[in-house]
Amino acid sequence: MIIEQCMEHMRQSKPFLILGGGSNVVFTEDYQGDVLQLASKGIKVGESTDSYLLEVEAGENWHELVQWTLEQDMPGLENLALIPGVVGAAPIQNIGAYGCELAQFCDWVEYLDLNTGELNRLTQAACRFGYRDSIFKQDLKGKAVITAVGLKLAKQWVPCLEYGPLRELKETKATAKQIFERVCQVRLDKLPDPAQLGNVGSFFKNPIVSQGIYQKLIAEYPSLVAYPVEGGMMKLAAGWLIDQAGLKGFSIGDASVHEKQALVLVNRGHATGDDIVALAKHIIARVNALFGVTLEAEPRIITAIGEGSL
């Protein structure tokens, strides 16, 4: 049904927005087009000699999928627990947490080509995954609707315990279920429940900088939190930068920097789109002035007529 609706809107040149779970979208105004929500369900499981091969419909809830794979004794996704949203949205920004990214487990992505109406399938390499990035945010932006995702989970499970609060589990021979529970505990302790306090999770990407910039910053700020990434670059903790800028708890209108996690912007009840945009711009300007680093928004910014930017 979603395919037919998309193509009908394209034929009529009617503005429309494809929405998954809506957890990574900030509406700054009332959207004037139609909103089509992906709700397709289904999980098919196959296997090869060394891996479980999952074919997952785009409308499946991501966290529920992670839970389901563990119940089926197919570990691997536990570090990505409690990331809100649906499976179809996961490849777009290559979701990640606690040292893991979707790209590590993605086998292929199926999408509807909005120009031709054809269903195409991209291999993992063809998706051009990067840090919170993919071909779906670049060349295929606005041209594709993801309909299904193929996942490949190794039968020989290797835990990922190199990141932050999971390091302490390295000596305990933790099971995948224990890692899942720890990830859930950490996220629930640090991140507000969107059902209770409006937010879209991490509002800013962790900026990636050169070794030269990193060395300059670490010399001035010895407590700087950073992690090495490919190419000799360093990923800075955006939350640390915002916190050090003295912005934790800072508000514009009813839009506020969360008091427990500076990376999260919250709606305390009646924040307008202008409040949220103004707060985000203030944070970007303040962090840039102090550290010479420019933050980028992670969620999609939607105006009355379509996707916008800060």
Side-chain angles (χ1 to χ4, degrees), residues 145-187:
V145 177
I146 294 174
T147 54
V149 178
L151 298 174
K152 188 174 184 179
L153 304 180
K155 292 180 179 178
Q156 191 66 37
W157 175 67
V158 178
C160 178
L161 300 172
E162 300 300 323
Y163 197 95
L166 301 186
R167 288 177 180 160
E168 61 193 66
L169 297 179
K170 294 179 74 170
E171 306 300 323
T172 68
K173 296 183 178 179
T175 65
K177 187 173 186 298
Q178 288 172 326
I179 296 171
F180 169 86
E181 291 172 346
R182 177 61 60 86
V183 169
C184 290
Q185 177 189 359
V186 171
R187 291 185 72 92

Side-chain angles (χ1 to χ4, degrees), residues 5 9 11 23 33 43 58 81 91 140 178 180 184 195 197 205 220-221 231 270 278 281 288 291 298 310:
Q5 290 177 322
H9 277 73
R11 282 191 291 271
S23 58
I43 305 172
L140 290 180
Q178 288 172 326
F180 169 86
C184 290
L197 186 62
K205 299 177 184 179
E220 188 171 355
Y221 304 98
H270 301 284
K281 287 182 175 179
N288 184 263
F291 305 105
E298 189 170 311
L310 292 177

Side-chain angles (χ1 to χ4, degrees), residues 18-250:
I18 300 296
L19 194 67
S23 58
N24 198 49
V25 176
V26 176
F27 288 92
T28 59
E29 302 173 279
D30 291 338
Y31 183 64
Q32 299 302 307
D34 292 334
V35 177
L36 306 180
Q37 186 174 31
L38 282 169
S40 56
K41 302 287 185 178
I43 305 172
K44 296 179 182 178
V45 180
E47 59 182 291
S48 63
T49 303
D50 58 1
S51 302
Y52 296 106
L53 305 174
L54 279 61
E55 181 175 332
V56 189
E57 292 293 316
E60 288 284 348
N61 178 276
W62 176 262
H63 177 66
E64 291 176 5
L65 172 67
V66 175
Q67 289 180 301
W68 185 86
T69 57
L70 292 176
E71 291 167 359
Q72 306 305 310
D73 197 23
M74 295 185 290
L77 301 179
E78 55 279 348
N79 290 49
L80 305 180
L82 269 187
I83 295 179
V86 296
V87 170
I92 296 174
Q93 66 163 11
N94 185 21
I95 61 170
Y98 303 105
C100 290
E101 292 181 329
L102 176 81
Q104 298 168 238
F105 311 101
C106 182
D107 194 19
W108 49 263
V109 176
E110 179 188 88
Y111 72 93
L112 171 68
D113 186 318
L114 292 175
N115 291 322
T116 66
E118 297 177 350
L119 285 175
N120 298 321
R121 184 172 287 192
L122 294 179
T123 63
Q124 192 269 5
C127 289
R128 298 193 339 227
F129 289 121
Y131 173 58
R132 300 298 179 269
D133 197 18
S134 72
I135 193 172
F136 301 103
K137 293 180 73 173
Q138 303 297 331
D139 293 358
L140 290 180
K141 184 176 181 180
K143 303 174 183 178
V145 177
I146 294 174
T147 54
V149 178
L151 298 174
K152 188 174 184 179
L153 304 180
K155 292 180 179 178
Q156 191 66 37
W157 175 67
V158 178
C160 178
L161 300 172
E162 300 300 323
Y163 197 95
L166 301 186
R167 288 177 180 160
E168 61 193 66
L169 297 179
K170 294 179 74 170
E171 306 300 323
T172 68
K173 296 183 178 179
T175 65
K177 187 173 186 298
Q178 288 172 326
I179 296 171
F180 169 86
E181 291 172 346
R182 177 61 60 86
V183 169
C184 290
Q185 177 189 359
V186 171
R187 291 185 72 92
L188 289 171
D189 287 345
K190 294 177 64 177
L191 303 174
D193 182 352
Q196 304 297 324
L197 186 62
N199 72 92
V200 289
S202 300
F203 200 93
F204 297 102
K205 299 177 184 179
N206 291 320
I208 295 176
V209 301
S210 67
Q211 276 289 340
I213 293 175
Y214 167 71
Q215 293 298 335
K216 181 179 178 181
L217 287 172
I218 197 70
E220 188 171 355
Y221 304 98
S223 63
L224 176 70
V225 179
Y227 303 90
V229 294
E230 292 182 5
M233 306 289 277
M234 296 295 292
K235 182 192 296 184
L236 309 182
W240 184 92
L241 297 173
I242 297 167
D243 192 3
Q244 290 298 304
L247 294 172
K248 191 177 283 186
F250 180 82

Side-chain angles (χ1 to χ4, degrees), residues 261-276:
Q261 171 52 273
L263 198 53
V264 176
L265 307 188
V266 300
N267 182 346
R268 296 186 301 176
H270 301 284
T272 65
D274 288 341
D275 291 339
I276 296 167

